[in-house]
Amino acid sequence: MKRAVIPFSQIIGQERAVHLLKQTIKREKMPHAYLFVGVSGVGKTTTALSMAQALNCEEPQDGESCGRCRPCRQLLGGNFPDFELVEPDGQSIKIEQVRELERRFGYKPVAGRYRVTVVRPAEAMTEEASNAFLKTLEEPPAGNVLVLNATEPSNLLPTIVSRCQKVVFRRIPPHTIEEWLIDRQGLDREKAAVLARISDGSPGRALEMGESGFLEKRQEALLWLATLRRADPEDAVDWASRFVKDIERGDRQEAMGALLGLWKSWYRDLLLLKAEGREELLINRDLSHELKNASEAFRMEHLLSNLQALDQAERDVLRFRNPELVLESTVLELKQNDSEGNVS
């Protein structure tokens, strides 16, 4: 799949990360490995592409690529031979993929000064792949820059983390995502506002939800959650199983993340109402009537338990646990908390 390549100046909301990378490029003292840390969709891979362009640009200005020279044009066209993306083969990144990566490292870059290789998500490496990758980090090949994209560095070997330059990518404020969706993606303001609020600070997730039709299914998913405490356990498990099976295999982690993030936004809104917070701070403002009705049936401690359950589910998905089992066990835990926390 062709990936959009943009200059550093067009990356939204990651000024500190971009500044750090530009300064390093200008000093021409590139570390051999980076660890880009942040939730999915905040620009880690986009930034790696921008870095590859700036590193290989023939006429860079102040750490920024020109966009006109041959390497820049090749990256823009998606046919630059010195940019590689290593992603899961099935559910994980396997040792065979790392060995193939090491084999390619034995050759010099083909078209530029640096070969930039992105491993994403780095948490997907098997134990065997991680150990093999560690050897590559211990003897870094010249002319190569490795970028590991990760959400939870704690899921990586500490020895891998210690050998990488860490760059933190922050969540983007909703108003910034909203304007980006309007100005650069052409969305209308109402749709952009909803996507920005429920994306949990991730422009990529907001865009994915908009393009996949998830927004249209959002109300159904939230209202189903609101009635979970009255559902039979068998029906709850069946819903979870059907949701996962309806997702294409390659999109499961992103779709699961979107659903879990959406449910977290629902419980956060309920907590806000229970604490008598300002309604304009609601994430799902267009469902304020339904939220007010639902909030009356919960105790705060059980809402907090539900948020913890969803946090755990997100971690399990990142560790590439069985998505169907993760969602089934999560809805049962939510149902139990909802039933115990029901004050009606």
Side-chain angles (χ1 to χ4, degrees):
M1 181 177 68
K2 182 178 178 181
R3 298 181 182 275
V5 183
I6 60 175
F8 281 134
S9 58
Q10 292 183 23
I11 295 173
I12 65 166
Q14 303 297 348
E15 290 79 10
R16 292 185 65 181
V18 167
H19 176 75
L20 172 65
L21 294 172
K22 287 177 68 174
Q23 292 301 310
T24 305
I25 291 171
K26 286 191 291 184
R27 290 196 300 267
E28 297 185 353
K29 292 184 178 180
M30 293 299 297
H32 66 276
Y34 279 106
L35 177 60
F36 285 3
V37 177
V39 298
S40 174
V42 290
K44 299 190 297 294
T45 302
T46 299
T47 302
L49 277 161
S50 301
M51 182 177 70
Q53 192 176 50
L55 279 171
N56 291 290
C57 179
E58 295 175 353
E59 299 180 15
Q61 293 291 328
D62 193 33
E64 190 79 76
S65 56
C66 71
R68 301 181 300 273
C69 66
R70 183 179 179 183
C72 283
R73 293 197 310 271
Q74 286 180 319
L75 271 160
L76 288 168
N79 56 3
F80 184 65
D82 295 322
F83 181 86
E84 301 186 32
L85 193 61
V86 180
E87 296 181 292
D89 177 10
Q91 288 295 308
S92 61
I93 296 174
K94 300 176 173 59
I95 189 171
E96 292 79 12
Q97 293 174 270
V98 175
R99 285 173 176 164
E100 174 60 22
L101 190 62
E102 291 174 340
R103 187 191 67 79
R104 292 197 295 271
F105 282 168
Y107 301 95
K108 293 181 179 180
V110 176
R113 291 176 295 172
Y114 288 93
R115 179 190 292 112
V116 177
T117 303
V118 177
V119 179
R120 66 164 230 176
E123 297 100 322
M125 285 191 288
T126 64
E127 182 178 353
E128 295 81 4
S130 295
N131 289 324
F133 193 81
L134 181 58
K135 295 179 181 178
T136 300
L137 291 177
E138 290 172 344
E139 300 176 5
N144 286 276
V145 178
L146 288 160
V147 179
L148 280 71
N149 284 0
T151 302
E152 291 286 348
S154 59
N155 293 333
L156 301 175
L157 291 176
T159 43
I160 287 180
V161 175
S162 66
R163 285 170 170 79
C164 298
Q165 175 69 49
K166 184 177 177 181
V167 181
V168 176
F169 286 72
R170 68 187 186 94
R171 285 179 167 85
I172 311 299
H175 65 86
T176 302
I177 298 177
E178 180 180 341
E179 294 305 318
W180 176 75
L181 290 171
I182 294 169
D183 296 341
R184 300 194 195 174
Q185 306 301 326
L187 272 64
D188 65 77
R189 184 166 294 278
E190 182 178 357
K191 185 176 182 179
V194 174
L195 288 170
R197 291 198 302 270
I198 66 174
S199 64
D200 195 26
S202 169
R205 178 176 290 177
L207 187 60
E208 172 67 23
M209 288 191 292
E211 292 178 344
S212 67
F214 185 85
L215 190 61
E216 287 71 24
K217 302 174 184 177
R218 160 181 164 265
Q219 187 165 345
E220 176 188 348
L222 287 178
L223 295 183
W224 180 86
L225 187 65
T227 61
L228 179 59
R229 67 180 182 276
R230 297 194 297 271
D232 292 330
E234 295 80 6
D235 291 338
V237 169
D238 181 63
W239 187 93
S241 178
R242 282 187 287 107
F243 178 87
V244 174
K245 289 177 180 177
D246 286 344
I247 305 169
E248 292 293 334
R249 181 171 296 275
D251 298 328
R252 281 184 177 176
Q253 188 181 36
E254 188 64 38
M256 285 279 287
L259 179 69
L260 295 171
L262 179 63
W263 284 357
K264 284 172 69 175
S265 76
W266 178 261
Y267 288 117
R268 285 172 183 156
D269 282 347
L270 291 176
L271 271 175
L272 179 71
L273 292 174
K274 293 295 286 186
E276 299 182 353
R278 293 180 295 155
E279 287 188 29
E280 59 265 30
L281 297 178
L282 290 172
I283 299 171
N284 301 283
R285 275 179 280 178
D286 55 325
L287 297 176
S288 59
H289 178 72
E290 290 82 356
L291 281 163
K292 289 176 184 176
N293 288 338
S295 69
E296 297 174 359
F298 287 95
R299 295 187 176 93
M300 293 187 71
E301 59 267 28
H302 292 92
L303 293 174
L304 290 170
S305 295
N306 281 348
L307 285 171
Q308 291 172 354
L310 291 169
D311 282 338
Q312 182 61 53
E314 287 182 327
R315 289 192 290 271
D316 289 341
V317 170
L318 286 171
R319 295 186 181 108
F320 287 81
R321 304 275 171 80
N322 184 305
E324 190 171 344
L325 291 178
V326 169
L327 194 56
E328 288 176 0
S329 62
T330 301
V331 296
L332 288 176
E333 185 171 356
L334 295 176
K335 175 176 170 52
Q336 180 178 349
N337 288 337
D338 288 358
S339 299
E340 291 177 356
N342 189 1
V343 298
S344 58

